[in-house]
Amino acid sequence: MSDEKKSTAIDLKNLKAGGFIKERGKDLFTVRLRVPGGRLPVGRLKKIAEVAEKYGQGMVHLSVRQSVELININFKDFDAVVAELGEGTQKVASCGARVRVPTACGGCEYNPNGLVDTQKSALEVDEKLFGTPTGHHKFKVGFAGCPFDCPKSATNDVGFQGAIWPVLEQDDCIGCGLCAKSCTEGAIAMDDAKRPVFTGDNCLYCGDCVKVCPTEAWKTEKKGYTVRIGGKWGRRPLVGTLFAEFLPEDRVVDFITAVLDWYKEKAEGEGRIRLGDVIRAEGAAALLGHLRERFPGFVVDATIPPQAIATQIGKER
Amino acid sequence: MTTVDLRGVTCPTNFVKAKLALEMVDTGAVIEFLLDDGEPVKNVPRSLKAEGHKLLGLKETDGYYVLTLEKGEE
């Protein structure tokens, strides 16, 4: 009898780490699936639908971080659910103090605003860093293809936003003024001689000037990611702040790894603490220095710590 | 020259109407589009350029814009 009891005991901590989250109902769990960048081939979607119908009472939940969650799964069906999803095809995601499934916008293969390949970045981070234990708390990464920032990159522990820096080849310019008209930030104005004048301080790196220019006079001089670090949402939200600009797409995994190294070390002994709160305690300059050594030329000269949002006025601390 | 008045037509209907108008003329033909200020003048020229047409100029006239464009290859 006692042996039988042992065989059905569940380690809730391990289950949560594996993407199985306890629900209210007796014996019921939510199974979070791994959908990097929120993109799901139809074949996998069909398989998920089959499993949801068979074990989950015909319903799934779309999580706010682009994942599909099977709900109302009885713990006795875990093995069957994982097997039927096909472990190599549709994997189960993760919770707990580790690197989560990266989110990303639709990507720029078809989105005309996209400046970088966010889907590719999300898949690379998922492949190389997903599930890495942080030792302290959850760690979220998100990718936005342009400054419209639909994925709200600054609310991730490390948030990336596609960026380009334009340069004008004056000789190719026909003075049509489309660039000045397209620039909603006032970074380009036409002078009396009908030539575009660029004010870099106003530029948000959206690349609209390059996209609209009829003669390709506006060109891309630099392309990469704007990186904001230390963001989170939840009970005490923080907006991540600027740490790097025009970081090349192929340095993303290295960059996140360097941030993780700093976080693991500096949060030692602090318990369950998010990266943003560690930066606020240590000072932004400490992390800037750590990153500047490894990514010279991309890390900004100065920044401010992640900024608190007073969601409950008078309760900020 | 053909002039197509897209004033008062919201995005993306203005772009679709511009595309339909371009179907009626030959490659190389020059056509003018009248566009409202704001989103239309920001989006329509960019989208037409991405479809392979050549933007020739943009002129402001009494609160709206005249976009001159040469039709590209089909």
Side-chain angles (χ1 to χ4, degrees), chain A residues 148-166:
Chain A
F148 278 108
D149 199 9
C150 302
K152 300 165 190 69
S153 59
T155 59
N156 287 263
D157 292 270
V158 186
F160 296 86
Q161 188 183 87
I164 75 159
W165 181 253

Side-chain angles (χ1 to χ4, degrees), chain A residues 105-180:
Chain A
C105 62
C108 59
E109 321 96 279
Y110 62 87
N111 185 330
N113 290 316
L115 303 171
V116 290
D117 195 343
T118 55
Q119 286 291 321
K120 188 177 166 200
S121 295
L123 286 177
E124 192 183 353
V125 169
D126 181 69
E127 184 195 329
K128 295 179 177 161
L129 297 175
F130 167 77
T132 306
T134 65
H136 310 294
H137 211 317
K138 67 181 82 171
F139 194 92
K140 294 180 177 178
V141 175
F143 295 92
C146 72
F148 278 108
D149 199 9
C150 302
K152 300 165 190 69
S153 59
T155 59
N156 287 263
D157 292 270
V158 186
F160 296 86
Q161 188 183 87
I164 75 159
W165 181 253
V167 63
L168 180 69
E169 297 282 346
Q170 195 70 255
D171 290 348
D172 296 334
C173 177
I174 56 171
C176 70
L178 269 167
C179 55

Side-chain angles (χ1 to χ4, degrees), chain B residues 1-4 21-22 25 29-33 67-70:
Chain B
M1 193 194 321
T2 311
T3 299
V4 181
L22 281 160
V25 301
V30 175
I31 182 165
E32 274 183 350
F33 295 101
L67 172 75
T68 317
L69 173 149
E70 182 185 309

